[in-house]
Amino acid sequence: MSLSTPFLAAQNVSQIVANPQATQANDLHILQDVNFTIEAGQSVAIVGASGSGKTTLLGMMAGLDSPSHGQLFLAHKDLTQLDEEGRAELRKHHVSFIFQNFQLLPSLTALENIMLPLEVKGSSDATALAEKYLDHVGLAQRGHHYPNQLSGGEQQRVAIARAFAAQAPILFADEPTGNLDTETGHNIIELLFELNQQHQTTLVLVTHDLQLAQRCQRRLSLSAGQLTELTNV
Amino acid sequence: MFKLAARLAWRDWRGGELSLLFVALILAITSVTSISLFTHQVKQSMVAQGADLIAANLRLNSSQPVPALWAEQARTLSLQQAQISQFQAMIFADQGMQLARIKAVSENYPLRGEITVGQAAFDLGTAIQNGPKQGEIWPDSRLLASLNAALNDTIDVGKLSLKISQILITSPDQASGFSGFAPSAIMHLSDLEATQAVQTGSRVTHRWLLAGPTPALVNLKENINPLLTNGEKWQSPAEGNANMAATLDKAEQFLLLAGSLAVVLAGVALSLSARRYSLRQAKHVALLKCLGLKPKQLRLLYLSQMILLALLALAISLPLAWGLYQGLLLLLVDYIQATSILPPLEPFILGAGTGTLCLLAFVLPPMLALAKVAPAEVLRQSSSQSKANIGHLAIGFSAVIALVYWHSQSILISSALIVGVIIILTLLALLANLLIKLGNKLRPHLGQGAKIGLANLARRKNQNSLQVAIFGLALMLLFSLISVRSFLIDDWQQQLKQDTPNLFLFNIYQQERDSLIDSMEQQGLATKALKFFPIARARLTEPKLEDPRGDRELNLTWSQALPAGNSISAGQWWDSTNENTSASPLEVSVELDYAQRMGLTLGQNLTFNVAGIQHRAILSNLRKVDWSSMQPNFFFVFSRPLVEANSASYMASVYIAPQDRSKLGPLLRQQPTISMIDVDDILQQVQRIVAQLSLAVESILVMVLGAGVLVLVASIQASIDERRHESAILRTLGASKSLIRSILLVEYASLGFVAGLIAGVSAEALVAVLQNQLFQMPLQFHWPLWVLTPFTGMLIIGACGWWFNRTVVTAPPLRTLRQA
Ligand SMILES: Nc1ncnc2c1ncn2[C@@H]1O[C@H](COP(=O)(O)OP(=O)(O)O)[C@@H](O)[C@H]1O
Ligand SMILES: [Mg+2]
């Protein structure tokens, strides 16, 4: 909206979860005072050890969760000022997400899983578009298979196709190549950056893959709940 | 949005997600609708049977003929009508004369039921639809015998000669209790004036018979009610016959109860599958939210999905219920008379209402709550376990109780069910913990399978408690229904006994007792079942009763032992071993209802006038009498004789087999002073109806049992996903098939045991309430229930659990894990 608000940013964001078994002293500080700003069209990699809070941060940036403290901006809007309805509206038009654990619906075929975001948006040619993206990830022949009939890597590719199909300006990807072999992983990465280039998509991804992190314009490192910008690797 | 809902619903359907919910919904609607249809039909049939007993749907008894204005009103309402004038008159034949009770009937008599007539006294008789024509008279066997007349003879009623064109064997409204002392006959109403037998001042009872649709009858009744005078009284079929009314009433209560249980079971099945569905939908919801669906849209989405589902289920279940009901009628065609082709609407509304309301109450709350699932859920391995939400359960439970009340219109049934459920929950809380603790203690001493099984039980305490509650609830309902059915049928069987007396003999004096037995033996009649009761006519003179009925002369008896089929409800029966000499005070036992009506209390002194002599007796106990038994029952029973032995009169009850009935004519000629009441016809009517009702009860029981089993299946299915996953993991860890089998068996069998135990105890409580309050029967303990139910529960649930989990054991673990 107003250009004074950043496109995608965190200001003093903390995330504290109560330890289910103990008193306040034992509260888990997943994120502490995280700050960053990302411009539209940038590609950013978030790296960090397992359990360092990468997924948590990514989810909050996408408006899937709210921070305990601090402010978050998504598409120039202050997420913390919005209710669930408002955040849903924002996600619908601006965000697509690739989940670490795929989150394909088991009762839907691969093709239908890809069609889902298009249908939610009310797109009229959902099937054709979904088939196109399925082809992009090299699974044209497997459209009518159910998730439990696909390997982990194949499921991941379907999840990626679904994210592409949403055609959102901001793409969040949580370890998108974690389950893929080098060859397929490479192809998928090409696809991601092609999209970033062609449509000026903003790309925020979490990865362990150094090669992938290198290709991003910026790299942020998360450890002990603190975020730091890496200038070189 | 509706399109998206339909598309998503279709995919869920295809994936089997919705099928269990759908099956439960169909089950709910079908079972409630068909049971209700059947109940409706049985009730109609019972009303029709009852109508036979008064030859009409409604009857007005009066001392005046029906005013023309009222008859006109009935005509405009298109009601059928007939009139009877009943009086006593002397009848003269060539060879005798006899005081008889005469019924002069109009053209349409009887409106309901049939008259049976024969060619000779005590014939078996054939049914006909109409009464005698003008100029004819149909005497009954008793009258014919005492007049020494035969078919085609002419006899005189007052100044008119009438021809005997048939012998009356039975008429539908012939007997209401023991009023029919005198021999009787029926003739045509238009002959009445010519007889001149009815003069002003002579006692005539006028009966106005009406038949037609209930609304019209009610309408007429309401119009006329304000105009009724003191002596005019409506009589409905149920009031026609006390013991029939009691039986019909019990049957109706049973049907309503069974229907209510079907409603509860349907509700439980729906709530289970709804829970499972909503748990599995959690992931869908989180993802859809992530894709930008707003909570409002999600609610709309699920609401429209549920509406779609309900419509589809209705389209299938209602015709299905209709078919099922038709099948049942076809099976029972000899027993239940179908009264109308057009099905009543209420059962369909009730069934559809039950299904939709249960769906709304059980499915919507968790689904709407799903809209609140945080979208962040998608980031983690979704927790497919949510705790049972007490609020949601309370909504569902209230809906079920409301439905039960809607169905039964009985506060008693509804509250008895609430009590049952509360008992179950309390016991559950106590027992589940106790047993799991016990299991923990036992564990070190058990085999490996049992060890893991018991550990699983303890680990899933909350979930298991819910499951035990559901098993327990279903079992409780089934056990209760079975035991209610048993005591009802037992009770009715008493009336079906072969040698229930069907003939009552009066005016037998001491010296005639032996000669009666002799005569019977001479005629080849069995005397084994012959029972004598001493009788005296008496009037209660002190205290003066306010109720005018208390002033009547009554039959009373005396006995040392409590009469069979009676029970003491207050005070004590006198010591029967003790010689009751005239030195001991005279005691009297009074029938409970009569005492309450007349305001007599225990310990009160009562004075009776017996043949001019005053007797003072102390009211020492109140007696409950089973009016549905066909035994002679007395309001007053005394502790010792009130009349000297040689001047006492007796009444006798005896059973006469159908093939021996022709011997009654000669017997009565040999014993001319004895009068008799033949209740064989009523008895047969009762037996026929009881046989029908027993069958109806059994059929309903089978239907409800079916519903109960489906609930058990649904509840096992509800927990199957998790168990499947665990078993698969155990197998990848190297557990053998037999180990997993024994784990499952131990888990389910112990759940079944606990559920059965709880069910047994709570069924006992529920049955006690129902038996005592609803059916007005004495309390009984069913100790076998307590022993049997835990093992029955163990067996049923163990077997079901094993059967539905058998694929877990045989399917390759990888496949199971992939599906998780
Ligand atoms: N809802 C929660 N409750 C408790 N702990 C949580 C919750 N969400 C995340 N965590 C913890 O926060 C830490 C960061 O999790 P996550 O963001 O998934 O890490 P990763 O960097 O591996 O993606 C982990 O230690 C995880 O256990
Ligand atoms: Mg992660």
Side-chain angles (χ1 to χ4, degrees):
Chain A
M1 210 197 291
S2 116
L3 288 176
S4 60
T5 52
F7 176 64
L8 189 61
Q11 292 175 358
N12 303 323
V13 164
S14 297
Q15 179 71 324
I16 304 162
V17 293
N19 197 321
Q21 278 183 341
T23 53
Q24 220 177 351
N26 277 351
D27 278 354
L28 198 59
H29 293 253
I30 304 174
L31 298 175
Q32 280 181 321
D33 267 334
V34 169
N35 289 287
F36 64 80
T37 310
I38 295 170
E39 304 300 335
Q42 279 187 335
S43 59
V44 180
I46 299 174
V47 294
S50 158
S52 58
K54 304 183 296 293
T55 299
T56 308
L57 180 60
L58 205 65
M60 276 192 310
M61 289 165 79
L64 295 175
D65 207 353
S66 304
S68 314
H69 304 291
Q71 271 182 306
L72 280 163
F73 294 91
L74 179 65
H76 299 296
K77 294 247 169 66
D78 185 350
L79 277 177
T80 43
Q81 297 292 314
L82 294 173
D83 60 358
E84 180 51 34
E85 294 273 311
R87 289 202 296 268
E89 188 67 24
L90 208 57
R91 283 197 299 269
K92 184 161 157 185
H93 297 294
H94 297 279
V95 170
S96 67
F97 207 107
I98 301 171
F99 300 98
Q100 191 174 6
N101 46 5
F102 325 138
Q103 294 295 349
L104 300 179
L105 294 184
S107 57
L108 269 53
T109 62
L111 193 65
E112 286 163 354
N113 264 294
I114 299 171
M115 284 160 66
L116 199 60
L118 296 166
E119 287 170 347
V120 166
K121 284 188 177 142
S123 158
S124 54
D125 52 351
T127 320
L129 271 172
E131 274 166 353
K132 188 180 111 191
Y133 285 105
L134 196 63
D135 194 32
H136 273 335
V137 294
L139 286 173
Q141 307 302 316
R142 309 297 301 273
H144 294 289
H145 286 157
Y146 287 93
N148 66 35
Q149 294 167 316
L150 300 173
S151 77
E154 286 165 341
Q155 289 183 37
Q156 186 151 39
R157 282 190 272 162
V158 174
I160 290 166
R162 179 175 66 188
F164 286 171
Q167 296 175 309
I170 311 171
L171 177 62
F172 295 98
D174 196 352
E175 304 190 23
T177 54
N179 285 283
L180 302 181
D181 57 280
T182 344
E183 170 80 21
T184 319
H186 188 75
N187 291 343
I188 294 293
I189 290 166
E190 289 306 322
L191 219 58
L192 280 175
F193 283 99
E194 220 178 280
L195 216 68
N196 172 235
Q197 232 94 92
Q198 276 178 13
H199 298 100
Q200 287 300 298
T201 310
T202 310
L203 191 62
V204 182
L205 46 84
V206 164
T207 186
H208 293 302
D209 185 343
L210 286 180
Q211 197 195 349
L212 176 54
Q214 285 296 350
R215 291 201 52 176
C216 293
Q217 293 164 342
R218 296 169 61 193
R219 283 162 295 283
L220 303 171
S221 162
L222 195 59
S223 92
Q226 313 273 349
L227 192 74
T228 45
E229 177 115 22
L230 299 178
T231 39
N232 57 331
V233 182
Chain B
M1 178 56 49
F2 198 72
K3 240 170 83 186
L4 183 62
R7 205 174 299 138
L8 288 179
W10 159 244
R11 289 171 189 163
D12 277 348
W13 167 263
R14 188 193 51 196
E17 293 286 311
L18 274 172
S19 57
L20 197 68
L21 188 60
F22 191 66
V23 168
L25 193 56
I26 289 197
L27 169 77
I29 302 173
T30 309
S31 64
V32 172
T33 309
S34 54
I35 287 180
S36 169
L37 270 170
F38 187 62
T39 306
H40 206 89
Q41 179 58 61
V42 169
K43 257 197 319 208
Q44 291 275 300
S45 172
M46 292 188 318
V47 169
Q49 298 275 356
D52 287 359
L53 295 177
I54 63 167
N57 292 135
L58 186 65
R59 180 164 90 176
L60 182 73
N61 295 344
S62 166
S63 51
Q64 299 295 321
V66 54
L69 208 67
W70 298 2
E72 185 52 41
Q73 270 194 35
R75 231 185 325 276
T76 52
L77 286 166
S78 309
L79 290 167
Q80 289 173 271
Q81 40 183 329
Q83 281 161 48
I84 301 177
S85 296
Q86 198 168 301
F87 57 96
Q88 299 224 342
M90 215 55 174
I91 304 224
F92 300 91
D94 290 344
Q95 296 179 33
M97 53 185 253
Q98 170 72 45
L99 187 68
R101 200 166 50 120
I102 299 191
K103 240 164 35 183
V105 301
S106 69
E107 209 59 60
N108 290 334
Y109 174 88
L111 298 181
R112 294 286 180 263
E114 291 164 334
I115 306 177
T116 55
V117 292
Q119 304 299 306
F122 300 105
D123 241 7
L124 279 180
T126 48
I128 53 169
Q129 298 299 334
N130 288 77
K133 293 193 199 43
Q134 239 180 306
E136 295 179 355
I137 188 163
W138 298 352
D140 69 0
S141 308
R142 174 84 182 99
L143 181 59
L144 198 73
S146 58
L147 289 174
N148 224 338
L151 199 66
N152 296 323
D153 286 359
T154 302
I155 55 177
D156 296 342
V157 181
K159 301 243 158 90
L160 187 69
S161 294
L162 294 165
K163 187 182 157 199
I164 300 176
S165 56
Q166 301 276 12
I167 313 302
L168 180 67
I169 305 297
T170 65
S171 57
D173 53 345
Q174 64 188 5
S176 312
F178 288 165
S179 54
F181 275 99
S184 67
I186 60 177
M187 57 181 272
H188 199 280
L189 189 62
S190 54
D191 285 333
L192 183 60
E193 229 186 295
T195 64
Q196 294 182 24
V198 177
Q199 307 291 335
T200 37
S202 50
R203 264 186 62 127
V204 184
T205 310
H206 298 273
R207 302 202 151 141
W208 184 29
L209 308 187
L210 292 157
T214 313
L217 289 170
V218 170
N219 193 339
L220 181 75
K221 207 167 159 178
E222 276 167 4
N223 285 342
I224 290 179
N225 267 343
L227 309 171
L228 290 185
T229 58
N230 237 347
E232 288 166 329
K233 201 170 152 268
W234 291 108
Q235 242 188 342
S236 63
E239 291 153 0
N241 184 308
N243 49 39
M244 204 57 242
T247 306
L248 292 184
D249 196 47
K250 280 177 194 165
E252 190 177 337
Q253 296 297 345
F254 179 86
L255 292 176
L256 284 181
L257 177 70
S260 304
L261 298 195
V263 170
V264 177
L265 285 172
V268 173
L270 263 175
S271 80
L272 280 171
S273 38
R275 208 174 115 75
R276 179 172 191 248
Y277 181 69
S278 59
L279 279 181
R280 290 172 71 111
Q281 286 292 311
K283 205 171 165 184
H284 278 55
V285 171
L287 189 71
L288 286 170
K289 279 189 140 181
C290 203
L291 294 177
L293 272 193
K294 296 171 188 165
K296 214 180 1 188
Q297 291 173 311
L298 273 166
R299 275 186 215 115
L300 201 66
L301 181 87
Y302 278 106
L303 192 64
S304 39
Q305 255 190 37
M306 290 305 120
I307 290 172
L308 208 67
L309 193 73
L311 288 178
L312 201 62
L314 284 177
I316 294 177
S317 331
L318 294 182
L320 192 68
W322 173 244
L324 208 67
Y325 158 69
Q326 285 298 330
L328 202 62
L329 278 192
L330 215 62
L331 262 177
L332 302 178
V333 69
D334 293 337
Y335 297 92
I336 311 286
Q337 34 179 248
T339 44
S340 67
I341 312 293
L342 209 68
L345 207 59
E346 295 103 297
F348 290 102
I349 296 176
L350 183 72
T354 303
T356 336
L357 236 137
C358 280
L359 192 69
L360 290 180
F362 285 115
V363 184
L364 263 194
M367 295 311 267
L368 294 185
L370 270 186
K372 290 199 208 97
V373 169
E377 286 281 308
V378 277
L379 297 175
R380 335 234 144 249
Q381 200 68 38
S382 60
S383 58
S384 64
Q385 271 197 60
S386 81
K387 278 189 209 93
N389 184 322
I390 301 289
H392 294 171
L393 281 179
I395 293 176
F397 185 59
S398 323
V400 166
I401 292 299
L403 281 169
V404 165
Y405 182 72
W406 180 22
H407 179 76
S408 65
Q409 302 285 318
S410 156
I411 291 176
L412 187 64
I413 291 181
S414 320
S415 40
L417 282 175
I418 297 179
V419 168
V421 169
I422 288 173
I423 292 180
I424 280 213
L425 294 181
T426 319
L427 283 178
L428 182 82
L430 292 175
L431 254 174
N433 275 315
L434 196 79
L435 283 177
I436 287 168
K437 268 190 201 132
L438 194 74
N440 284 343
K441 281 231 173 80
L442 279 178
R443 223 185 301 161
H445 313 288
L446 296 171
Q448 207 191 353
K451 230 182 248 177
I452 303 179
L454 288 179
N456 276 352
L457 275 182
R459 201 156 38 78
R460 281 196 287 258
K461 213 170 78 179
N462 290 331
Q463 214 191 341
N464 283 328
S465 300
L466 184 72
Q467 191 145 41
V468 169
I470 283 153
F471 286 156
L473 183 66
L475 288 176
M476 170 189 80
L477 297 182
L478 297 184
F479 290 147
S480 314
L481 200 60
I482 290 172
S483 90
V484 167
R485 170 231 158 243
S486 318
F487 74 66
L488 265 193
I489 301 251
D490 278 356
D491 181 51
W492 291 343
Q493 290 295 330
Q494 304 281 323
Q495 300 174 31
L496 286 170
K497 267 198 209 133
Q498 266 308 305
D499 52 356
T500 304
N502 57 2
L503 192 71
F504 294 97
L505 303 167
F506 292 87
N507 292 335
I508 309 167
Y509 286 91
Q510 180 69 33
Q511 56 275 22
E512 288 168 330
R513 280 177 61 162
D514 297 332
S515 77
L516 175 67
I517 295 172
D518 285 346
S519 304
M520 281 180 73
E521 276 168 357
Q522 240 174 43
Q523 297 291 339
L525 290 166
T527 54
K528 251 207 325 245
L530 186 67
K531 258 195 256 167
F532 288 99
F533 303 85
I535 281 195
R537 299 281 288 172
R539 194 190 296 274
L540 182 64
T541 55
E542 200 63 53
K544 277 267 168 282
L545 299 177
E546 281 178 22
D547 196 314
R549 284 170 295 187
D551 200 33
R552 289 194 196 142
E553 265 210 338
L554 287 167
N555 285 325
L556 46 79
T557 190
W558 47 92
S559 167
Q560 297 223 331
L562 183 65
N566 291 4
S567 62
I568 298 296
S569 68
Q572 273 198 323
W573 190 256
W574 37 87
D575 189 354
S576 55
T577 52
N578 221 359
E579 275 286 305
N580 264 308
T581 58
S582 44
S584 59
L586 180 64
E587 291 177 59
V588 64
S589 163
V590 183
E591 194 267 335
L592 182 66
D593 284 337
Y594 185 85
Q596 280 167 355
R597 218 166 45 218
M598 299 297 164
L600 302 177
T601 51
L602 213 58
Q604 207 173 359
N605 275 312
L606 308 178
T607 308
F608 292 85
N609 181 335
V610 184
I613 300 168
Q614 305 285 336
H615 292 269
R616 247 170 99 83
I618 181 160
L619 203 174
S620 65
N621 63 70
L622 297 174
R623 221 167 0 104
K624 242 188 156 135
V625 166
D626 182 9
W627 292 109
S628 59
S629 84
M630 284 299 221
Q631 303 295 338
N633 285 313
F634 295 89
F635 286 136
F636 296 106
V637 178
F638 286 85
S639 59
R640 59 184 151 84
L642 297 187
V643 178
E644 287 210 23
N646 50 12
S647 62
S649 153
Y650 290 85
M651 130 179 212
S653 66
V654 68
Y655 171 75
I656 305 290
Q659 68 272 16
D660 290 338
R661 299 192 65 78
S662 58
K663 297 167 184 165
L664 284 175
L667 179 73
L668 286 172
R669 266 195 290 279
Q670 281 178 6
Q671 303 282 339
T673 57
I674 294 177
S675 48
M676 67 163 216
I677 302 178
D678 186 357
V679 293
D680 191 59
D681 187 61
I682 309 173
L683 200 64
Q684 277 184 20
Q685 226 166 2
V686 169
Q687 288 178 346
R688 212 169 43 240
I689 293 173
V690 164
Q692 276 180 24
L693 291 180
S694 306
L695 234 114
V697 163
E698 303 278 13
S699 327
I700 293 279
L701 180 70
V702 168
M703 287 168 86
V704 177
L705 280 182
V709 168
L710 279 164
V711 166
L712 291 183
V713 170
S715 81
I716 288 172
Q717 289 249 320
S719 70
I720 212 166
D721 298 332
E722 203 188 340
R723 286 204 164 78
R724 203 172 250 162
H725 192 85
E726 280 185 13
S727 304
I729 291 174
L730 273 176
R731 281 186 67 198
T732 58
L733 296 176
S736 68
K737 282 183 190 183
S738 67
L739 177 65
I740 290 174
R741 260 197 203 120
S742 54
I743 293 171
L744 286 174
L745 217 56
V746 166
E747 263 195 89
Y748 279 106
S750 24
L751 283 181
F753 185 86
V754 179
L757 190 66
I758 292 170
V761 175
S762 41
E764 181 77 283
L766 183 59
V767 170
V769 173
L770 294 176
Q771 200 166 19
N772 195 258
Q773 298 295 316
L774 191 62
F775 295 101
Q776 314 275 327
M777 295 167 89
L779 276 182
Q780 279 170 320
F781 271 99
H782 311 86
W783 66 263
L785 200 72
W786 298 62
V787 181
L788 272 177
T789 51
F791 292 99
T792 317
M794 203 164 122
L795 253 167
I796 298 178
I797 290 165
C800 281
W802 183 79
W803 174 257
F804 285 104
N805 283 297
R806 72 197 186 288
T807 51
V808 171
V809 182
T810 48
L814 190 60
R815 201 169 297 165
T816 314
L817 282 179
R818 275 187 163 219
Q819 274 160 2

